[in-house]
Amino acid sequence: MASDRLLVQIASYNTNLQGIHGLPQDLVDWLSPTLQVSKFLTKERRAPDIVAVGFQELLPLHLGLSGFSNAVIENRNALILSQIEANAPNKERFSLVAKVVNVGVALLVYARDDTIARSLCDVHTTWTGTGPAYMGNKGAVGVRFRIPGSDGGIGEIFTFVCAHLTAHKEKLAARLADYQHIVGTLLFPPAVWTEPKSSSTIYDTSHLFFLGDLNFRLDVPPMHPLALSPNIDLLRALDEESTREQLKDFDQLVMERRKGTVLQGLHEGEFWRFKCSYKYLLGEVDKYRLLRSEFHVPASKRKIP
């Protein structure tokens, strides 16, 4: 890897309204294993240059609207920063670039002190709500900053967006509308290369990272063999990467991206390599809550495109 190529680590976590009850080891276990995966990109162990951590459903809506989200995200910030530094392969130090929270959606972005933290500039945050009354339980928050070029030029703009879109399998149209609303209303101050009085969208950037709980579901055709099987058989089948790869073409987000209706111009990794995520049983480890599983296939949800 070239020395001037930046390594970005992204994580997303829906806390199921339990932000104020989170146990410290929950985030430690979640962050630590991924802090050293960069060895597959380089021959040397290397810490990421940028770490972005997004949250959804931090708190119940009434608590978020009352302003309690700020205290919760500050607590998470202290824990995450300490764990990033404690588990960095060469004990690298990091600084918080920006934090932004709107009701239940939040984003923390960190940068390595010895690479870009001391040189980045023009840091901005923004937020927008979607859904009924645009209150913020669903919506998006964003962080943007600039890394000047070594020649003193404009350099490159980095934009991070954490979003929480409308839930439920049958509300695909609402999810697509949420995304279009975010593109149109999650605005930053004018970019250095745009007209001074015009706000810039998330696409006015060199690099755009879009993460969160997007709520797109697996939409298996009703006559597919797995759709005709008992739900428990499908759940067992989804434990296998080969099955997830076979079913990826039935993923709502994959189908909509092919139509050009969402996440235009963005690239997605091989999401089927990761197991599907469901709602966990509170207070349990790797145990899931399967709602109405006797009536329909539990929707598989993907967090980070």
Side-chain angles (χ1 to χ4, degrees):
M1 174 181 290
S3 60
D4 59 349
R5 186 176 179 183
L6 297 180
L7 182 63
V8 179
Q9 174 181 311
I10 293 178
S12 177
Y13 185 26
N14 185 318
T15 74
N16 191 22
L17 308 178
Q18 301 300 307
I20 55 176
H21 302 301
L23 299 175
Q25 58 265 35
D26 289 346
L27 295 185
V28 172
D29 294 342
W30 172 52
L31 283 169
S32 296
T34 60
L35 285 169
Q36 300 182 23
V37 300
S38 59
K39 60 186 178 183
F40 80 94
L41 295 173
T42 177
K43 294 180 179 179
E44 300 178 357
R45 295 179 67 194
R46 177 185 172 188
D49 299 284
I50 301 170
V51 179
V53 182
F55 291 92
Q56 309 84 41
E57 293 192 4
L58 270 179
L59 294 169
L61 183 59
H62 69 284
L63 294 180
L65 291 173
S66 299
F68 287 93
S69 297
N70 290 309
V72 173
I73 202 61
E74 188 56 47
N75 176 274
R76 299 295 87 182
N77 166 44
L79 174 62
I80 290 172
L81 181 57
S82 69
Q83 290 306 307
I84 291 174
E85 294 185 337
N87 292 279
N90 300 300
K91 302 303 179 184
E92 291 85 352
R93 306 286 293 179
F94 288 78
S95 295
L96 177 68
V97 175
K99 67 177 184 291
V100 56
V101 58
N102 179 40
V103 187
V105 186
L107 179 60
L108 300 164
V109 179
Y110 306 90
R112 250 175 76 177
D113 288 352
D114 61 333
T115 55
I116 65 168
R118 305 307 184 200
S119 61
L120 63 83
C121 60
D122 297 338
V123 180
H124 300 287
T125 62
T126 186
W127 60 269
T128 188
T130 62
Y134 305 103
M135 288 189 293
N137 182 49
K138 297 294 192 293
V141 295
V143 170
R144 170 173 288 175
F145 57 84
R146 180 168 65 92
I147 301 178
S150 57
D151 59 354
I154 292 175
E156 299 186 7
I157 311 295
F158 286 75
T159 301
F160 296 83
V161 176
C162 177
H164 191 191
L165 307 186
T166 298
H168 304 300
K169 178 180 177 180
E170 68 276 8
K171 294 189 177 181
L172 174 60
R175 282 188 282 283
L176 299 178
D178 287 346
Y179 180 77
Q180 296 304 324
H181 180 79
I182 289 168
V183 171
T185 62
L186 192 69
L187 302 177
F188 291 90
V192 291
W193 58 79
T194 62
E195 293 294 328
K197 294 184 179 180
S198 63
S199 298
S200 58
T201 73
I202 63 175
Y203 279 99
D204 292 317
T205 187
S206 309
H207 308 277
L208 172 59
F209 300 88
F210 200 99
L211 60 136
D213 186 351
L214 305 189
N215 266 313
F216 288 95
R217 311 301 175 99
L218 186 62
D219 199 356
V220 181
M223 298 309 295
H224 190 281
L226 281 177
L228 298 173
S229 302
N231 288 332
I232 192 64
D233 290 346
L234 176 58
L235 293 176
R236 288 170 179 164
L238 288 173
D239 258 351
E240 300 296 327
E241 182 179 325
S242 59
T243 301
R244 297 194 298 273
E245 184 173 6
Q246 293 172 17
L247 295 176
K248 69 179 185 298
D249 289 336
F250 302 127
D251 178 271
Q252 289 180 337
L253 182 56
V254 169
M255 293 188 287
E256 292 303 321
R257 290 186 66 230
R258 287 174 178 167
K259 298 177 186 177
T261 59
V262 67
L263 297 178
Q264 296 89 342
L266 301 185
H267 301 278
E268 184 175 25
E270 297 176 339
F271 63 86
W272 58 88
R273 296 179 61 186
F274 300 91
K275 290 186 178 182
C276 302
S277 59
Y278 306 93
K279 285 191 174 182
Y280 286 92
L281 284 172
L282 298 179
E284 300 289 346
V285 177
D286 290 339
K287 292 183 180 180
Y288 305 105
R289 181 163 61 98
L290 303 181
L291 299 176
R292 302 185 301 279
S293 59
E294 67 273 27
F295 298 115
H296 74 280
V297 175
S300 62
K301 297 171 61 176
R302 293 196 290 111
K303 303 289 185 180
I304 309 178

